[in-house]
Amino acid sequence: MVKKEQNNTDYHDIKIGDFEMSWNLHDGEPFAVSESSVNEVGCIHTAQGLEFDYVGVIIGDDMRYENGEVITDFTKRARTDQSLKGIKKMYRENPKEAKKERMRLLKIHTELY
């Protein structure tokens, strides 16, 4: 989110078709317990360990279901996503090891959800 817009509920940095919402507003309260969080998009890190009455999940281009399998493609991750920091370099230097790491992380993520 653009720093100057981090408190602006009218600024929608998540846009998917006709769906628009603000990402992790900084209104002084933690995202997941804020009264206004129903009008925001948060990440797994701000919601982890908490219970919700309902949730939605946005899955980016880096994960898809294809031919009966969940496929991950770290080359399509958002540049701002630091969860796989260094894997592109690892892939250039050791593709086999990078693919093993990708599968290990996929297993962790699927167990979380």
Side-chain angles (χ1 to χ4, degrees), residues 3-53:
K3 192 164 184 83
K4 69 179 181 174
E5 301 293 350
Q6 62 186 340
N7 294 321
N8 182 355
T9 58
D10 294 325
Y11 180 78
H12 298 141
D13 43 355
I14 303 294
K15 297 178 182 180
I16 304 169
D18 62 355
F19 172 84
E20 295 185 6
M21 278 192 145
S22 300
W23 174 266
N24 278 354
L25 293 173
H26 296 279
D27 63 359
E29 289 186 272
F31 158 75
V33 296
S34 170
E35 289 281 328
S36 64
S37 66
V38 71
N39 300 313
E40 304 175 41
V41 174
C43 68
I44 60 171
H45 307 289
T46 57
Q48 197 169 16
L50 299 171
E51 290 187 28
F52 296 90
D53 291 333

Side-chain angles (χ1 to χ4, degrees), residues 60-93:
D61 294 334
D62 57 325
M63 182 181 276
R64 64 187 179 275
Y65 189 74
E66 189 175 285
N67 298 323
E69 292 184 88
V70 175
I71 305 294
T72 62
D73 183 351
F74 59 82
T75 65
K76 294 190 178 188
R77 294 189 74 88
R79 287 181 290 173
T80 55
D81 184 349
Q82 297 295 304
S83 65
L84 290 176
K85 189 172 185 169
I87 197 160
K88 287 182 182 180
K89 180 180 179 190
M90 180 191 292
Y91 184 72
R92 285 191 303 272
E93 295 172 357

